[in-house]
Amino acid sequence: MRTRTQVGIIGAGPAGLLLQHLLAQQGVDSVLVENRSREYCEKRQRAGVLEHGSVELLKEIGLGDRMVREGLTHSGIYLQFDGERHHIDFPSLTGGRTLTVYAQTEVVKDLIAAGLAAGHQLHFEVSETAVRDIDTERPVLSFVDADGVAHEVECDAIAGCDGFHGVSRPAIPSLRVSERTYPFAWLGILATVPPSTDELIYAHSPHGFAMHSMRSTEVSRLYIQVDPDEKIEDWSDERIWEQLQLRLGHPGWTLSEGPITEKSITPMRSFVAEPMRHGRLFLAGDAAHIVPPTGAKGLNLAVADVKVLANALVRLLVEGKADLADAYSETCLTRVWRSTWFSWFMTSMLHRFPVESFASPAEAEFQERLQIAQLRQVVSSTAAATNLAENYAGWPLP
Protein backbone atom coordinates (compact mmCIF):
# COMPACT_ATOMS: atom_id res chain seq x y z
CA MET A 1 0.00 0.00 0.00
CA ARG A 2 1.45 3.33 -1.06
CA THR A 3 0.31 6.51 0.68
CA ARG A 4 1.51 10.06 1.20
CA THR A 5 2.08 12.35 4.20
CA GLN A 6 4.19 15.38 4.98
CA VAL A 7 6.28 13.93 7.82
CA GLY A 8 7.03 10.32 8.63
CA ILE A 9 7.92 9.79 12.30
CA ILE A 10 9.64 6.68 13.62
CA GLY A 11 9.23 5.98 17.32
CA ALA A 12 6.42 6.44 19.85
CA GLY A 13 8.54 7.71 22.70
CA PRO A 14 8.19 11.26 24.01
CA ALA A 15 10.17 12.70 21.08
CA GLY A 16 8.07 11.20 18.29
CA LEU A 17 4.72 11.67 20.01
CA LEU A 18 5.41 15.27 20.97
CA LEU A 19 6.67 16.06 17.48
CA GLN A 20 3.48 14.71 15.93
CA HIS A 21 1.41 16.84 18.30
CA LEU A 22 3.41 20.02 17.62
CA LEU A 23 3.20 19.49 13.86
CA ALA A 24 -0.54 18.85 13.95
CA GLN A 25 -1.09 22.13 15.77
CA GLN A 26 0.58 23.87 12.83
CA GLY A 27 -1.48 21.96 10.23
CA VAL A 28 1.28 19.54 9.20
CA ASP A 29 0.21 15.92 8.56
CA SER A 30 2.28 13.01 9.81
CA VAL A 31 2.35 9.24 10.16
CA LEU A 32 4.00 7.74 13.24
CA VAL A 33 5.18 4.12 13.42
CA GLU A 34 6.38 2.15 16.43
CA ASN A 35 7.58 -1.45 16.60
CA ARG A 36 6.41 -1.96 20.19
CA SER A 37 2.84 -2.21 21.46
CA ARG A 38 0.98 0.72 22.94
CA GLU A 39 0.96 -1.09 26.29
CA TYR A 40 4.74 -1.47 26.23
CA CYS A 41 5.27 2.21 25.40
CA GLU A 42 3.00 3.27 28.24
CA LYS A 43 4.70 1.04 30.83
CA ARG A 44 8.45 1.26 30.19
CA GLN A 45 10.15 3.08 33.02
CA ARG A 46 12.43 5.95 32.07
CA ALA A 47 13.08 9.48 33.30
CA GLY A 48 10.94 11.25 35.84
CA VAL A 49 12.18 14.84 36.18
CA LEU A 50 10.89 17.59 33.90
CA GLU A 51 12.75 20.87 33.55
CA HIS A 52 10.92 24.15 33.90
CA GLY A 53 10.91 24.69 30.12
CA SER A 54 9.53 21.21 29.38
CA VAL A 55 6.70 21.77 31.86
CA GLU A 56 5.82 25.15 30.39
CA LEU A 57 5.77 23.73 26.84
CA LEU A 58 3.42 20.88 27.77
CA LYS A 59 1.07 23.34 29.47
CA GLU A 60 1.26 25.75 26.54
CA ILE A 61 0.15 23.12 24.02
CA GLY A 62 -2.70 21.84 26.17
CA LEU A 63 -1.07 18.66 27.50
CA GLY A 64 -0.32 19.71 31.04
CA ASP A 65 -3.61 19.24 32.93
CA ARG A 66 -2.84 15.85 34.48
CA MET A 67 0.81 16.80 34.97
CA VAL A 68 -0.26 19.87 36.96
CA ARG A 69 -2.69 17.79 39.05
CA GLU A 70 -0.46 14.80 39.74
CA GLY A 71 3.10 16.01 39.24
CA LEU A 72 5.26 16.99 42.21
CA THR A 73 6.84 20.44 42.06
CA HIS A 74 10.37 20.56 43.47
CA SER A 75 12.48 23.60 44.29
CA GLY A 76 15.85 21.88 44.24
CA ILE A 77 17.88 18.83 45.19
CA TYR A 78 19.87 17.58 48.17
CA LEU A 79 23.58 16.78 47.89
CA GLN A 80 24.83 14.35 50.54
CA PHE A 81 28.51 13.63 51.19
CA ASP A 82 31.02 13.26 54.02
CA GLY A 83 28.24 12.87 56.60
CA GLU A 84 26.50 16.10 55.50
CA ARG A 85 23.31 16.86 53.57
CA HIS A 86 22.86 20.20 51.80
CA HIS A 87 19.91 21.63 49.88
CA ILE A 88 20.47 23.49 46.60
CA ASP A 89 17.58 25.93 46.23
CA PHE A 90 16.90 26.37 42.52
CA PRO A 91 14.35 29.23 42.50
CA SER A 92 16.61 31.55 44.48
CA LEU A 93 19.55 30.77 42.17
CA THR A 94 17.76 30.71 38.79
CA GLY A 95 15.18 33.46 39.00
CA GLY A 96 12.30 31.22 40.00
CA ARG A 97 12.77 28.04 37.95
CA THR A 98 11.53 24.78 39.49
CA LEU A 99 11.34 21.09 38.56
CA THR A 100 8.38 18.76 38.22
CA VAL A 101 8.56 15.07 39.04
CA TYR A 102 6.24 13.41 36.53
CA ALA A 103 7.26 10.09 35.07
CA GLN A 104 8.04 9.70 31.38
CA THR A 105 5.50 6.89 31.30
CA GLU A 106 2.82 9.39 32.26
CA VAL A 107 3.99 11.89 29.63
CA VAL A 108 3.76 9.12 27.01
CA LYS A 109 0.27 8.14 28.18
CA ASP A 110 -0.88 11.75 27.89
CA LEU A 111 0.62 12.15 24.42
CA ILE A 112 -0.84 8.89 23.08
CA ALA A 113 -4.30 9.66 24.46
CA ALA A 114 -4.21 13.16 22.97
CA GLY A 115 -2.94 11.87 19.62
CA LEU A 116 -5.62 9.20 19.30
CA ALA A 117 -8.33 11.63 20.38
CA ALA A 118 -7.18 14.07 17.69
CA GLY A 119 -7.14 11.35 15.02
CA HIS A 120 -3.37 11.26 14.51
CA GLN A 121 -2.06 8.36 12.45
CA LEU A 122 -0.37 6.10 15.02
CA HIS A 123 0.73 2.59 14.05
CA PHE A 124 1.94 0.30 16.86
CA GLU A 125 3.54 -3.15 16.55
CA VAL A 126 4.95 -2.54 13.08
CA SER A 127 7.89 -4.45 11.64
CA GLU A 128 10.46 -4.16 8.85
CA THR A 129 10.69 -0.39 9.28
CA ALA A 130 13.07 1.24 6.80
CA VAL A 131 13.83 4.58 5.17
CA ARG A 132 15.14 5.32 1.72
CA ASP A 133 15.64 8.20 -0.74
CA ILE A 134 16.56 10.53 2.13
CA ASP A 135 18.74 12.59 -0.22
CA THR A 136 15.67 13.54 -2.26
CA GLU A 137 12.70 15.79 -1.51
CA ARG A 138 10.47 12.69 -1.38
CA PRO A 139 11.97 10.26 1.14
CA VAL A 140 10.07 7.03 1.73
CA LEU A 141 9.16 5.39 5.04
CA SER A 142 8.26 1.72 4.68
CA PHE A 143 6.90 -0.73 7.25
CA VAL A 144 4.62 -3.70 7.76
CA ASP A 145 1.66 -3.00 10.05
CA ALA A 146 0.29 -5.23 12.81
CA ASP A 147 -2.07 -6.89 10.32
CA GLY A 148 0.78 -7.84 8.00
CA VAL A 149 0.04 -5.17 5.38
CA ALA A 150 3.14 -3.61 3.79
CA HIS A 151 3.16 0.20 3.54
CA GLU A 152 5.27 2.69 1.62
CA VAL A 153 4.69 6.25 2.77
CA GLU A 154 6.04 9.02 0.57
CA CYS A 155 7.04 11.93 2.80
CA ASP A 156 8.47 15.43 2.58
CA ALA A 157 10.67 14.68 5.59
CA ILE A 158 11.32 11.84 8.02
CA ALA A 159 12.00 12.24 11.75
CA GLY A 160 14.02 9.48 13.38
CA CYS A 161 12.84 9.42 17.00
CA ASP A 162 13.46 5.70 17.37
CA GLY A 163 16.12 5.58 20.07
CA PHE A 164 19.64 4.24 20.16
CA HIS A 165 18.81 0.89 18.52
CA GLY A 166 16.53 2.29 15.80
CA VAL A 167 16.91 2.24 12.04
CA SER A 168 17.24 6.00 11.53
CA ARG A 169 20.76 6.79 12.67
CA PRO A 170 22.41 3.99 10.62
CA ALA A 171 20.78 5.49 7.50
CA ILE A 172 22.93 8.62 7.82
CA PRO A 173 26.32 8.27 6.10
CA SER A 174 29.59 9.60 7.55
CA LEU A 175 28.41 10.09 11.11
CA ARG A 176 30.85 11.41 13.68
CA VAL A 177 30.33 9.51 16.92
CA SER A 178 31.66 10.60 20.32
CA GLU A 179 31.07 8.33 23.27
CA ARG A 180 32.17 7.36 26.75
CA THR A 181 31.23 4.28 28.75
CA TYR A 182 31.39 4.67 32.52
CA PRO A 183 32.73 1.85 34.74
CA PHE A 184 29.47 1.49 36.67
CA ALA A 185 25.72 1.12 36.22
CA TRP A 186 22.54 2.05 38.11
CA LEU A 187 20.33 -0.52 39.76
CA GLY A 188 16.94 1.18 39.89
CA ILE A 189 13.86 0.11 41.80
CA LEU A 190 10.24 1.14 42.14
CA ALA A 191 8.90 0.63 45.65
CA THR A 192 5.36 0.99 46.91
CA VAL A 193 6.24 3.23 49.82
CA PRO A 194 5.79 7.00 50.30
CA PRO A 195 9.03 8.87 49.60
CA SER A 196 11.21 9.51 52.64
CA THR A 197 12.24 12.89 51.28
CA ASP A 198 10.51 15.96 49.93
CA GLU A 199 13.07 16.40 47.12
CA LEU A 200 15.65 14.26 45.33
CA ILE A 201 18.73 13.18 47.29
CA TYR A 202 22.04 12.61 45.48
CA ALA A 203 24.42 10.78 47.80
CA HIS A 204 28.18 10.40 47.39
CA SER A 205 29.22 7.51 49.61
CA PRO A 206 32.34 5.38 50.25
CA HIS A 207 30.08 2.44 49.36
CA GLY A 208 29.03 3.94 46.02
CA PHE A 209 26.49 6.45 44.74
CA ALA A 210 22.82 6.31 45.71
CA MET A 211 19.81 8.42 44.82
CA HIS A 212 16.37 8.81 46.33
CA SER A 213 13.75 9.97 43.84
CA MET A 214 10.02 9.36 43.57
CA ARG A 215 7.18 8.83 41.12
CA SER A 216 4.28 9.99 43.29
CA THR A 217 3.33 10.58 46.91
CA GLU A 218 2.93 6.79 47.24
CA VAL A 219 5.71 5.41 45.04
CA SER A 220 9.45 5.83 45.57
CA ARG A 221 12.12 5.51 42.88
CA LEU A 222 15.60 4.70 44.18
CA TYR A 223 18.96 3.90 42.63
CA ILE A 224 22.28 2.48 43.71
CA GLN A 225 25.57 2.33 41.85
CA VAL A 226 26.60 -1.20 40.86
CA ASP A 227 29.19 -2.80 38.61
CA PRO A 228 28.10 -2.82 34.95
CA ASP A 229 28.32 -6.63 34.76
CA GLU A 230 26.05 -7.22 37.77
CA LYS A 231 23.07 -9.56 37.33
CA ILE A 232 19.71 -8.42 38.62
CA GLU A 233 18.98 -11.89 40.03
CA ASP A 234 21.93 -11.46 42.41
CA TRP A 235 20.20 -8.50 44.06
CA SER A 236 17.54 -9.62 46.49
CA ASP A 237 15.15 -7.06 47.93
CA GLU A 238 16.93 -7.39 51.27
CA ARG A 239 20.34 -6.67 49.73
CA ILE A 240 18.99 -3.64 47.87
CA TRP A 241 17.46 -2.09 50.99
CA GLU A 242 20.61 -2.83 52.98
CA GLN A 243 22.72 -0.90 50.46
CA LEU A 244 20.23 1.97 50.25
CA GLN A 245 20.22 2.29 54.03
CA LEU A 246 24.02 2.25 54.08
CA ARG A 247 24.49 4.84 51.34
CA LEU A 248 21.57 7.18 52.08
CA GLY A 249 21.66 6.97 55.86
CA HIS A 250 21.83 10.32 57.65
CA PRO A 251 21.51 11.27 61.33
CA GLY A 252 17.95 12.15 62.30
CA TRP A 253 16.50 10.83 59.02
CA THR A 254 14.85 7.48 58.27
CA LEU A 255 14.58 5.71 54.92
CA SER A 256 11.23 3.93 54.78
CA GLU A 257 11.16 0.52 53.12
CA GLY A 258 8.35 -1.13 51.20
CA PRO A 259 7.53 -3.77 48.58
CA ILE A 260 9.74 -3.54 45.47
CA THR A 261 7.59 -3.83 42.36
CA GLU A 262 10.27 -3.41 39.70
CA LYS A 263 14.05 -3.54 39.46
CA SER A 264 16.44 -3.12 36.55
CA ILE A 265 20.08 -2.34 35.78
CA THR A 266 20.99 0.50 33.42
CA PRO A 267 24.53 0.96 32.02
CA MET A 268 25.93 4.48 32.21
CA ARG A 269 27.18 6.01 28.98
CA SER A 270 27.44 9.21 26.98
CA PHE A 271 26.90 9.13 23.22
CA VAL A 272 26.59 11.87 20.63
CA ALA A 273 26.17 11.34 16.87
CA GLU A 274 26.50 14.24 14.49
CA PRO A 275 25.20 15.64 12.25
CA MET A 276 21.61 15.15 13.40
CA ARG A 277 20.31 15.72 9.87
CA HIS A 278 21.10 14.31 6.46
CA GLY A 279 19.00 15.36 3.50
CA ARG A 280 15.37 15.02 4.55
CA LEU A 281 16.10 12.71 7.51
CA PHE A 282 16.29 14.36 10.95
CA LEU A 283 17.31 12.65 14.20
CA ALA A 284 15.86 13.58 17.59
CA GLY A 285 16.20 12.32 21.15
CA ASP A 286 18.04 9.08 21.94
CA ALA A 287 18.47 8.33 18.24
CA ALA A 288 21.17 11.03 18.25
CA HIS A 289 22.41 11.27 21.83
CA ILE A 290 22.39 9.52 25.18
CA VAL A 291 23.48 10.93 28.52
CA PRO A 292 23.82 9.22 31.91
CA PRO A 293 20.70 9.89 33.99
CA THR A 294 22.57 11.69 36.77
CA GLY A 295 21.77 15.11 35.33
CA ALA A 296 18.11 14.36 34.45
CA LYS A 297 18.65 15.50 30.88
CA GLY A 298 17.53 12.66 28.56
CA LEU A 299 13.80 13.37 28.30
CA ASN A 300 14.33 17.12 28.45
CA LEU A 301 16.84 17.01 25.59
CA ALA A 302 14.29 15.12 23.50
CA VAL A 303 11.70 17.82 24.21
CA ALA A 304 14.16 20.54 23.15
CA ASP A 305 15.10 18.65 19.97
CA VAL A 306 11.53 18.26 18.76
CA LYS A 307 10.60 21.85 19.53
CA VAL A 308 13.44 22.95 17.27
CA LEU A 309 12.54 20.30 14.71
CA ALA A 310 8.83 21.17 14.65
CA ASN A 311 9.63 24.82 13.98
CA ALA A 312 12.12 23.85 11.27
CA LEU A 313 9.70 21.49 9.52
CA VAL A 314 6.82 23.95 9.61
CA ARG A 315 9.05 26.62 8.09
CA LEU A 316 10.31 24.18 5.46
CA LEU A 317 7.05 22.51 4.50
CA VAL A 318 4.55 25.34 5.01
CA GLU A 319 6.60 28.44 4.29
CA GLY A 320 9.03 26.86 1.82
CA LYS A 321 12.11 28.18 3.65
CA ALA A 322 15.01 25.89 4.53
CA ASP A 323 17.00 28.10 6.91
CA LEU A 324 15.83 26.49 10.18
CA ALA A 325 16.12 22.98 8.73
CA ASP A 326 19.66 23.71 7.55
CA ALA A 327 20.55 24.96 11.04
CA TYR A 328 18.76 22.14 12.88
CA SER A 329 21.78 19.99 13.70
CA GLU A 330 23.99 22.84 14.85
CA THR A 331 21.19 24.40 16.91
CA CYS A 332 20.45 21.15 18.74
CA LEU A 333 24.05 20.08 19.22
CA THR A 334 24.91 23.25 21.13
CA ARG A 335 22.42 22.22 23.80
CA VAL A 336 23.28 18.52 23.50
CA TRP A 337 26.95 19.09 24.25
CA ARG A 338 26.17 21.40 27.15
CA SER A 339 23.88 18.71 28.59
CA THR A 340 26.51 16.05 27.92
CA TRP A 341 29.02 18.11 29.89
CA PHE A 342 26.62 18.63 32.79
CA SER A 343 25.71 14.94 32.91
CA TRP A 344 29.43 14.06 32.94
CA PHE A 345 30.03 16.64 35.67
CA MET A 346 27.31 15.24 37.94
CA THR A 347 28.29 11.63 37.22
CA SER A 348 32.00 12.19 37.81
CA MET A 349 31.42 14.18 40.99
CA LEU A 350 29.07 11.72 42.68
CA HIS A 351 30.10 8.18 41.74
CA ARG A 352 32.81 6.06 43.29
CA PHE A 353 35.19 4.94 40.55
CA PRO A 354 36.58 1.39 40.82
CA VAL A 355 40.09 1.22 42.24
CA GLU A 356 41.16 -0.76 39.18
CA SER A 357 40.35 2.29 37.06
CA PHE A 358 43.49 3.94 38.43
CA ALA A 359 47.19 3.17 38.31
CA SER A 360 47.36 2.83 42.09
CA PRO A 361 45.20 3.02 45.25
CA ALA A 362 46.77 6.42 45.90
CA GLU A 363 45.32 7.74 42.62
CA ALA A 364 41.91 6.35 43.55
CA GLU A 365 42.06 8.17 46.89
CA PHE A 366 43.16 11.33 45.08
CA GLN A 367 40.05 11.12 42.86
CA GLU A 368 37.77 10.72 45.87
CA ARG A 369 39.33 13.71 47.63
CA LEU A 370 38.77 15.78 44.48
CA GLN A 371 35.10 14.76 44.45
CA ILE A 372 34.63 15.88 48.05
CA ALA A 373 36.38 19.17 47.26
CA GLN A 374 34.08 19.71 44.26
CA LEU A 375 30.96 18.93 46.30
CA ARG A 376 32.08 21.26 49.06
CA GLN A 377 32.67 23.99 46.48
CA VAL A 378 29.12 23.56 45.13
CA VAL A 379 27.48 23.82 48.55
CA SER A 380 29.64 26.69 49.84
CA SER A 381 29.90 28.95 46.77
CA THR A 382 26.89 30.80 45.40
CA ALA A 383 28.53 30.91 41.97
CA ALA A 384 29.14 27.14 41.93
CA ALA A 385 25.65 26.38 43.24
CA THR A 386 24.14 28.68 40.62
CA ASN A 387 26.03 26.89 37.87
CA LEU A 388 24.62 23.55 39.02
CA ALA A 389 21.10 24.93 39.50
CA GLU A 390 20.95 26.66 36.11
CA ASN A 391 22.11 23.55 34.31
CA TYR A 392 19.87 21.17 36.25
CA ALA A 393 16.72 23.31 36.08
CA GLY A 394 17.36 23.78 32.37
CA TRP A 395 17.82 26.66 30.00
CA PRO A 396 15.00 28.32 28.05
CA LEU A 397 13.83 26.20 25.13
CA PRO A 398 14.99 27.43 21.70
Side-chain angles (χ1 to χ4, degrees):
M1 178 183 299
R2 191 169 182 89
T3 55
R4 166 124 180 82
T5 193
Q6 289 176 286
V7 180
I9 303 173
I10 309 173
L17 292 164
L18 180 58
L19 177 62
Q20 186 171 52
H21 193 87
L22 292 172
L23 291 174
Q25 289 193 328
Q26 297 296 317
V28 175
D29 294 330
S30 65
V31 172
L32 187 152
V33 299
E34 165 62 50
N35 65 341
R36 303 283 194 170
S37 68
R38 175 184 177 181
E39 180 182 22
Y40 177 89
C41 293
E42 292 183 338
K43 286 186 175 181
R44 56 184 168 189
Q45 292 294 327
R46 292 291 188 272
V49 178
L50 295 176
E51 294 176 357
H52 185 81
S54 299
V55 170
E56 292 305 305
L57 176 63
L58 291 172
K59 291 195 293 187
E60 178 187 323
I61 63 176
L63 293 176
D65 289 351
R66 193 164 72 92
M67 175 188 66
V68 170
R69 289 197 311 271
E70 301 178 13
L72 306 175
T73 300
H74 284 196
S75 63
I77 61 171
Y78 293 102
L79 292 178
Q80 181 173 315
F81 63 95
D82 212 16
E84 305 171 7
R85 183 179 291 175
H86 301 264
H87 186 252
I88 308 298
D89 185 85
F90 289 177
S92 66
L93 296 166
T94 65
R97 278 180 277 167
T98 59
L99 309 168
T100 297
V101 174
Y102 189 64
Q104 178 172 314
T105 52
E106 305 308 314
V107 175
V108 168
K109 289 176 187 176
D110 294 344
L111 286 166
I112 290 176
L116 293 175
H120 297 168
Q121 294 191 63
L122 284 160
H123 298 270
F124 292 98
E125 298 182 81
V126 308
S127 59
E128 299 180 38
T129 306
V131 298
R132 71 170 192 269
D133 301 336
I134 60 174
D135 288 309
T136 73
E137 294 185 355
R138 292 291 183 269
V140 174
L141 168 64
S142 60
F143 64 96
V144 176
D145 67 23
D147 296 321
V149 178
H151 295 254
E152 285 199 343
V153 185
E154 185 183 85
C155 310
D156 295 315
I158 295 176
C161 307
D162 48 346
F164 183 78
H165 299 289
V167 302
S168 301
R169 189 178 66 256
I172 294 182
S174 303
L175 275 176
R176 177 183 179 184
V177 171
S178 304
E179 59 184 322
R180 176 173 186 176
T181 301
Y182 294 89
F184 36 74
W186 275 13
L187 190 161
I189 67 164
L190 280 176
T192 307
V193 59
S196 304
T197 178
D198 58 335
E199 299 190 325
L200 277 64
I201 302 172
Y202 285 79
H204 175 282
S205 159
H207 308 284
F209 169 79
M211 179 180 177
H212 191 327
S213 182
M214 67 268 314
R215 284 295 178 262
S216 70
T217 57
E218 301 299 327
V219 177
S220 295
R221 180 71 161 158
L222 302 109
Y223 302 92
I224 53 176
Q225 173 188 342
V226 298
D227 292 335
D229 57 353
E230 289 275 7
K231 305 298 183 186
I232 198 68
E233 55 266 25
D234 294 332
W235 284 86
S236 65
D237 293 3
E238 292 75 17
R239 185 185 179 192
I240 291 171
W241 285 118
E242 177 185 349
Q243 284 298 311
L244 286 167
Q245 295 283 2
L246 189 64
R247 301 180 194 195
L248 288 168
H250 188 68
W253 178 81
T254 301
L255 172 65
S256 300
E257 300 182 12
I260 295 176
T261 58
E262 182 176 315
K263 53 178 106 169
S264 60
I265 292 178
T266 303
M268 303 284 279
R269 64 184 312 205
S270 297
F271 177 92
V272 181
E274 47 190 309
M276 290 173 59
R277 178 242 180 146
H278 180 84
R280 288 296 181 97
L281 173 63
F282 300 80
L283 303 181
D286 286 359
H289 42 74
I290 293 174
V291 291
T294 327
K297 287 285 167 264
L299 171 58
N300 295 292
L301 269 181
V303 170
D305 284 351
V306 299
K307 185 173 186 296
V308 175
L309 182 53
N311 290 338
L313 290 175
V314 169
R315 190 161 173 84
L316 177 67
L317 305 181
V318 177
E319 302 176 22
K321 298 178 180 178
D323 54 337
L324 297 185
D326 291 341
Y328 170 72
S329 183
E330 182 178 355
T331 301
C332 289
L333 284 168
T334 298
R335 192 183 193 97
V336 166
W337 275 111
R338 185 171 180 180
S339 296
T340 299
W341 167 80
F342 180 66
S343 299
W344 165 85
F345 165 76
M346 291 287 286
T347 301
S348 300
M349 179 172 66
L350 288 161
H351 288 74
R352 186 174 182 83
F353 284 76
V355 174
E356 55 269 23
S357 300
F358 303 94
S360 67
E363 284 195 13
E365 182 181 358
F366 183 80
Q367 168 70 17
E368 186 172 357
R369 298 294 291 272
L370 287 178
Q371 290 175 317
I372 297 297
Q374 180 70 72
L375 285 160
R376 197 161 297 287
Q377 171 76 358
V378 169
V379 301
S380 61
S381 163
T382 300
T386 300
N387 183 49
L388 186 151
E390 287 183 338
N391 280 278
Y392 198 110
W395 320 281
L397 291 175

